[in-house]
Amino acid sequence: MMFEIPKDRSRNSKLRWLAFAMSTIIVSTILIVFVGNQAFSSDNVHKDSLIGKVTTSPLNVTVSGYGKFVPSTQRGINALSGGHIVEVFKKPGSLVKQGQIILSLNNPKLERLMETSELALLEEQANQLRIKAESIQALDDQRSQIRLAKVRLALADAELVAHKKLKDNQVISTLDLHKAQVAWEQEDAILQMELSRLQTLKKTRKAIDDSGQYRLEKAIKQRELLVSEVEQLNVRASMDGMLTELSDGLDIGRHVDEGQAVGMIADLSSYYARINITASDAEYVSSGLIASIQFKGIEIFGQVSRVEPTVTNGSVEIDISFNTQLPAAVRPNIDVNARIEVADHENALVVNRPVGVIRPHREYSLFVLDESSEIFQLRRVRIGDIAGEKMQVLDGAYQGEQILMRVPKHLANASQIMVADIYE
């Protein structure tokens, strides 16, 4: 039997792996060189990114912002009477009708005061009846006294007439006639006094009646007020709409103070958009500008109706109103995005915005390619509106001219730049 000597397989394996590694390195080097040449030697790429050409084209300038839909009409809900919460009937988002109960309160002290006011009212009503009866009786008594005084005066008058006839016939003396005259004057004075007393009594009794009537009316008003306050323990909706807010902490058993705000109701028939824009953009926005609102994939158009004159935390608040019927999806406090059209130029000189050009309607020192197409000369260029990465050229550059978009750092202080230098 013959035995074969085994070959050295480990050496062959090492040689194959070495050959594979060398091949991989060579292929990678070729790819790097090829891609590098494509990436770094293409003049077109450099030119597209470093040079902008002035052309005539439309330019639509807009300002963006964000905000929410706000109902045009909103009313707060206040607890007109204080008490402890017994039940909460409605939650935010509920549709409510005017007069519908939102929550109910309990106030035993107020209810006891109402019961006391009812007793006070009954007492004043009885007192008023007593006063009226006393007035009638007093006036009747005084009128009786007047009637008696008139009778006595009539008798005295008859006696005086008789005495005068007797005196004329010399039956009685002058003294007797004088006595009859005095008696008549006395009865006449008594009648006048009783008549005067009647007038005074009428005024006195009227004052007493009025005073009693005032106390009665006060008791009636007091009771009506307490009845109203007890009724107001049911906090009701002030109008038709949606309950958009309820104050925090309105739990059963919690105390609510009189006059405390407990919620908000919104009228769902009309809205406006309240939008926040940056303070730098606000100087270009004015009332009457057209605006579009985007939400939930829907776009609607309106116009700016108000611009807040003050800046808060770097932003300005504006309102956008609508003249058309809004979609059914509109609801209070839905987040929206807004775009306000500041300007719309049909034929403007437009170029890409160079680095460093930030604010519109300014003059900037920009490098413009000269007629030789070899040197960028520093020139004062006045720009107008800016829309994203595009800007309007008003003066200093003309159609077809080319502007350097980005100045290399090593040439930042140069007054002119060779075209060849920007690709170094």
Side-chain angles (χ1 to χ4, degrees):
M1 186 174 181
M2 299 292 292
F3 294 95
E4 292 182 0
I5 300 174
K7 296 180 180 179
D8 189 355
R9 294 182 179 179
S10 62
R11 182 178 179 184
N12 293 336
S13 176
K14 289 180 179 179
L15 290 173
R16 285 196 297 272
W17 278 107
L18 182 61
F20 176 76
M22 292 295 294
S23 301
T24 301
I25 291 171
I26 292 171
V27 171
S28 299
T29 302
I30 293 172
L31 288 174
I32 291 171
V33 171
F34 177 77
V35 172
N37 288 335
Q38 291 294 318
F40 298 108
S41 65
S42 176
D43 291 341
N44 290 331
V45 172
H46 280 293
K47 289 180 180 178
D48 289 343
S49 62
L50 293 179
I51 300 174
K53 188 174 183 179
V54 179
T55 60
T56 300
S57 67
L59 183 68
N60 183 258
V61 186
T62 61
V63 168
S64 299
Y66 65 92
K68 297 179 181 294
F69 279 122
V70 179
S72 299
T73 302
Q74 297 188 89
R75 291 184 185 173
I77 308 171
N78 295 81
L80 301 180
S81 296
H84 291 85
I85 298 175
V86 176
E87 189 170 356
V88 179
F89 295 96
K90 298 294 180 181
K91 297 292 185 181
S94 301
L95 296 176
V96 296
K97 295 290 186 181
Q98 184 176 2
Q100 197 167 6
I101 298 175
I102 305 297
L103 55 88
S104 60
L105 308 174
N106 180 39
N107 190 330
K109 181 179 179 181
L110 187 60
E111 293 173 354
R112 287 195 299 271
L113 287 173
M114 187 185 71
E115 293 172 357
T116 302
S117 72
E118 291 176 350
L119 295 175
L121 176 58
L122 293 174
E123 182 180 359
E124 289 301 332
Q125 287 173 338
N127 185 55
Q128 185 67 7
L129 292 175
R130 178 183 62 80
I131 290 172
K132 286 184 177 181
E134 290 177 349
S135 294
I136 293 172
Q137 184 63 50
L139 291 172
D140 285 345
D141 291 345
Q142 185 59 32
R143 290 189 181 99
S144 297
Q145 294 295 325
I146 292 172
R147 285 193 294 270
L148 290 174
K150 286 180 177 181
V151 170
R152 289 194 297 266
L153 179 62
L155 290 173
D157 187 63
E159 288 182 1
L160 179 60
V161 172
H163 278 67
K164 285 181 178 180
K165 289 181 179 181
L166 291 174
K167 176 66 173 67
D168 290 341
N169 295 325
Q170 296 182 353
V171 175
I172 61 173
S173 65
T174 302
L175 179 61
D176 291 332
L177 179 60
H178 181 70
K179 288 180 179 181
Q181 180 70 35
V182 171
W184 181 88
E185 291 177 356
Q186 182 178 359
E187 293 301 330
D188 183 66
I190 290 173
L191 176 60
Q192 296 304 319
M193 181 179 66
E194 294 297 342
L195 289 171
S196 177
R197 184 177 294 174
L198 176 62
Q199 297 303 317
T200 302
L201 183 61
K202 285 181 178 180
K203 293 179 181 179
T204 302
R205 294 315 305 185
K206 184 179 185 304
I208 294 172
D209 289 349
D210 289 345
S211 178
Q213 184 65 33
Y214 295 151
R215 289 197 300 270
L216 176 60
E217 291 177 359
K218 180 180 178 181
I220 293 172
K221 295 294 184 183
Q222 184 68 24
R223 181 181 178 279
E224 290 177 350
L225 178 61
L226 289 170
V227 169
S228 175
E229 289 187 9
V230 170
E231 172 61 24
Q232 288 165 357
L233 290 173
N234 291 320
V235 181
R236 300 177 183 271
S238 55
M239 67 176 183
D240 296 350
M242 176 185 285
L243 182 64
T244 56
E245 295 180 26
L246 267 184
S247 300
D248 296 333
L250 295 181
D251 302 321
I252 301 233
R254 294 290 295 272
H255 185 269
V256 175
D257 295 327
E258 179 180 350
Q260 179 178 335
V262 297
M264 185 77 72
I265 294 178
D267 181 3
L268 302 184
S269 62
S270 63
Y271 293 85
Y272 65 93
R274 178 151 290 172
I275 304 298
N276 287 299
I277 60 175
T278 63
S280 59
D281 288 338
E283 62 180 294
Y284 309 110
V285 177
S286 60
S287 297
L289 292 178
I290 301 300
S292 65
I293 300 294
Q294 301 87 31
F295 72 104
K296 295 184 176 181
I298 302 172
E299 183 176 33
I300 55 178
F301 291 90
Q303 62 181 16
V304 177
S305 57
R306 184 185 71 93
V307 179
E308 180 72 26
T310 58
V311 177
T312 303
N313 297 325
S315 66
V316 172
E317 198 173 72
I318 67 171
D319 292 343
I320 297 174
S321 59
F322 308 98
N323 297 322
T324 58
Q325 184 69 30
L326 297 180
V330 174
R331 283 293 182 269
N333 299 322
I334 289 181
D335 291 331
V336 298
N337 293 316
R339 187 172 65 251
I340 301 97
E341 185 176 290
V342 176
D344 188 17
H345 305 285
E346 293 185 0
N347 294 300
L349 290 179
V350 177
V351 68
N352 289 340
R353 183 160 58 95
V355 174
V357 175
I358 301 173
R359 302 294 300 277
H361 302 282
R362 301 284 192 279
E363 273 195 355
Y364 289 90
S365 294
L366 302 177
F367 284 96
V368 181
L369 190 64
D370 66 3
E371 294 179 356
S372 68
S373 299
E374 295 181 356
I375 301 175
F376 285 96
Q377 298 283 353
L378 196 62
R379 191 189 297 177
R380 297 292 292 178
V381 178
R382 185 163 60 91
I383 67 169
D385 291 319
I386 293 177
E389 293 304 315
K390 298 288 185 179
M391 70 178 191
Q392 178 190 19
V393 177
L394 298 179
D395 193 19
Y398 307 96
Q399 184 172 354
E401 290 191 313
Q402 299 182 61
I403 297 176
L404 187 61
M405 295 290 102
R406 185 175 63 254
V407 178
K409 291 182 179 179
H410 66 284
L411 299 174
N413 297 321
S415 59
Q416 61 181 23
I417 297 175
M418 299 295 294
V419 173
D421 291 341
I422 65 175
Y423 299 116
E424 290 183 355

